[in-house]
Amino acid sequence: MPSNVPTFAQLLQACEFSAVHLELRDAYAPTERFEAWRRGERIDWDDRVSWWHPYDQLITDTVARGVVIRRARIISEPVSEYIRWEHYVTHANVTAGEQVRWLPRRRTTDLSLPGNDFWLFDNRLARVHHFDGNGAVVEDEITDDPDLMPHLAASFERVWARAIPHQTYKI
């Protein structure tokens, strides 16, 4: 990313009240953590030091400042192997302070949704993720387009209202 584009940490640190993340894909580029899970390795959730990452601390610190962080995932059912893994590791997101919900794709037909995953900060600035066909990030676009912000905010809220809380959604 060019140096004038804020990092994710900078975007969260500037956030005052709300950060929301909408995920639309059934799979993303594999990571080492995903591959380890596929090999049967499991996280010892009681050993927080072994799995706690700087991202988790960033979320915790942001929530401690009073920022509400919500993540909604639109998923196909039956779920992909990747989504099964994401559901498993969402324990870390929730422990860090995120609110997470899941929405089966079949319940979204009447919703007007953006074509890309995004983060929306305080309903005024968006980080839009552009992926290649294999789920790797090609570019993160930062925008404050005043015509786009209401659409992203409304799309997220419609999904959030229908989605199932993580603690309730069973794979």
Side-chain angles (χ1 to χ4, degrees):
M1 227 184 280
S3 60
N4 62 337
V5 175
T7 67
F8 180 71
Q10 290 169 329
L11 291 168
L12 268 187
Q13 289 162 353
C15 201
E16 296 177 9
F17 63 88
S18 171
V20 299
H21 189 193
L22 182 60
E23 296 180 13
L24 303 163
R25 298 179 58 92
D26 286 318
Y28 295 86
T31 65
E32 176 50 39
R33 290 176 64 197
F34 173 61
E35 294 302 330
W37 178 84
R38 290 180 78 197
R39 291 189 301 270
E41 296 176 27
R42 295 299 180 258
I43 297 169
D44 178 359
W45 293 115
D46 293 329
D47 181 13
R48 184 170 146 161
V49 172
S50 70
W51 57 266
W52 192 258
H53 292 94
Y55 174 85
D56 303 313
Q57 191 60 52
L58 176 62
I59 296 300
T60 296
D61 294 345
T62 303
V63 169
R65 290 190 297 104
V67 176
V68 175
I69 301 178
R70 297 180 292 158
R71 177 187 304 256
R73 292 179 170 138
I74 295 176
I75 54 167
S76 299
E77 292 180 315
V79 299
S80 68
E81 182 180 35
Y82 193 94
I83 294 299
R84 190 173 304 284
W85 171 73
E86 267 196 337
H87 189 270
Y88 172 72
V89 297
T90 295
H91 176 82
N93 299 81
V94 172
T95 300
E98 284 188 35
Q99 299 173 37
V100 180
R101 292 186 182 182
W102 305 81
L103 182 59
R105 191 172 312 281
R106 70 173 181 259
R107 296 180 57 203
T108 66
T109 303
D110 63 330
L111 298 180
S112 173
L113 297 171
N116 299 295
D117 291 16
F118 65 86
W119 277 92
L120 182 60
F121 303 95
D122 293 335
N123 291 335
R124 63 177 172 72
L125 185 69
R127 180 181 181 189
V128 180
H129 302 299
H130 298 285
F131 296 94
D132 67 15
N134 294 317
V137 173
V138 174
E139 176 187 20
D140 282 333
E141 172 190 0
I142 305 295
T143 180
D144 62 357
D145 179 338
D147 294 328
L148 181 59
M149 298 305 106
H151 172 63
L152 295 180
S155 295
F156 182 87
E157 293 304 331
R158 284 189 296 271
V159 168
W160 188 257
R162 288 187 188 182
I164 303 162
H166 176 71
Q167 297 79 351
T168 306
Y169 185 74
K170 304 299 177 206
I171 299 271

